[in-house]
Amino acid sequence: MTDTPLAHKSLADRIAVVTGASRGIGRAAALALAEAGAHVIAVARTQGALEELDDAVRAAGGSATLVPLDLCDYDAIDRLGAAINERWGRLDILVGNAGVLGKLMPLGHIDPKVWANVMDVNVTANWRLIRSLDPLLRRSNAGRAVFVSSGAASSCRAYWGPYAVSKAALEALVRTYAAETETTAVRAMLLNPGPLRTAMRKAAMPGEDPETLRTPEELAPHIVRLASPDWTGSGTIFDFPTGRVLTPQKPA
Ligand code: NAP
């Protein structure tokens, strides 16, 4: 953290919601956004980890509002929108990052509860966030929504069924939202982080040496860039492994 005055920071006075801010990619994104000057509304279930994030944000000279919330509690997502409306009247940045892996196993063996939870967190919660926060993003002069997908959405590897299906659905959701906001100041991006050193990756690939992977902190400046008013892309995928913006194929 430098001692740049807040007014000179790229996201000074911006209001940002980050889901899954308690660890991994979401935590790194929340801290980087706060360092860039945004006030971060940090969402996750684990209150202690949110409080540790708050300490780090304050130490960096930033500010955060902590929202301990289970994203499967959709009424709570509606209340979050109402509370942001009451306090700020707008939202500048939404980072829909929270996600779960579920279990890696053949489609025929998956417990319906596991399937439902993966869809609830990875798909429906992001739709409910859009439903609750879209009016507030439209009130920003440059609303930016960034949703964290995965290469699994298109690789369709054996045993990754619920996760792959959920990320493919997320991509359809966000591309639809981008189309619906095309003529507004809102831009909606997808992000493929590639393999990063987090708890989720460890659970998916227990035999892998985490030291061989890039970190969420290396990705975080790109999330700041996607969240910035001068980012113009929408409905496309920022692919961190290649550093390229990918445009999904549309039927002729
Ligand atoms: P992680 O370390 O497991 O973190 C997941 C985050 O989601 C945690 O902050 C967790 O917070 C939150 N979360 C999960 N369920 C929630 C719920 N019901 N309500 C509220 N928050 C919930 O995972 P990560 O690797 O950082 O993953 C972040 C995103 O990147 C995910 O969407 C993942 O699919 C995607 N991704 C990751 C990788 C990778 O290699 N790491 C690769 C491709 C895509 P609490 O447990 O405190 O609620």
Side-chain angles (χ1 to χ4, degrees):
M1 177 66 192
T2 65
D3 55 1
T4 316
L6 191 64
H8 295 144
K9 295 187 175 187
S10 63
L11 298 181
D13 301 326
R14 310 302 283 175
I15 311 296
V17 166
V18 180
T19 69
S22 58
R23 62 174 185 268
I25 294 169
R27 185 186 193 280
L31 191 51
L33 289 165
E35 285 177 351
H39 178 79
V40 172
I41 300 163
V43 176
R45 290 167 300 181
T46 313
Q47 181 146 3
L50 288 178
E51 284 165 7
E52 282 172 30
L53 168 70
D54 192 40
D55 291 344
V57 165
R58 282 166 195 262
S63 65
T65 298
L66 308 184
V67 183
L69 177 155
D70 186 333
L71 286 163
C72 299
D73 180 352
Y74 303 135
D75 291 342
I77 293 178
D78 289 347
R79 289 196 296 274
L80 174 66
I84 294 171
N85 183 38
E86 193 153 315
R87 185 155 164 201
W88 290 286
R90 69 168 211 282
L91 180 67
D92 301 301
I93 298 163
L94 166 60
V95 180
N97 160 79
V100 290
L101 178 67
K103 296 238 164 78
L104 302 185
M105 55 175 60
L107 288 166
H109 295 201
I110 295 158
D111 184 326
K113 285 193 186 123
V114 171
W115 178 275
N117 181 249
V118 174
M119 299 306 148
D120 287 352
V121 178
N122 295 4
V123 186
T124 308
N126 283 309
W127 165 61
R128 294 297 299 243
L129 284 162
I130 289 173
R131 186 174 177 273
S132 173
L133 301 177
D134 166 64
L136 300 171
L137 285 166
R138 286 175 190 254
R139 262 187 244 141
S140 169
N141 61 355
R144 297 288 173 266
V146 181
F147 293 87
V148 182
S149 187
S150 163
S154 49
S155 62
C156 300
R157 294 166 64 181
Y159 315 130
W160 286 64
Y163 186 74
V165 170
S166 74
K167 292 299 189 181
L170 174 69
E171 295 197 357
L173 174 77
V174 175
R175 290 173 61 200
T176 303
Y177 183 50
E180 291 175 0
T181 51
E182 198 176 2
T183 60
T184 75
V186 176
R187 308 284 85 184
M189 286 296 294
L190 287 153
L191 164 64
N192 172 29
L196 293 187
R197 197 185 305 163
T198 71
M200 182 188 286
R201 180 73 190 181
K202 184 88 186 153
M205 299 283 182
E208 184 177 67
D209 177 4
E211 295 302 314
T212 62
L213 302 174
R214 292 207 277 181
T215 63
E217 288 70 25
E218 289 172 74
L219 170 66
H222 296 275
I223 297 178
V224 171
R225 203 160 58 93
L226 296 170
S228 301
D230 58 2
W231 179 267
T232 56
S234 199
T236 52
I237 306 172
F238 176 70
D239 185 60
F240 182 53
T242 60
R244 293 172 50 201
V245 175
L246 309 177
T247 305
Q249 294 278 318
K250 284 188 183 171

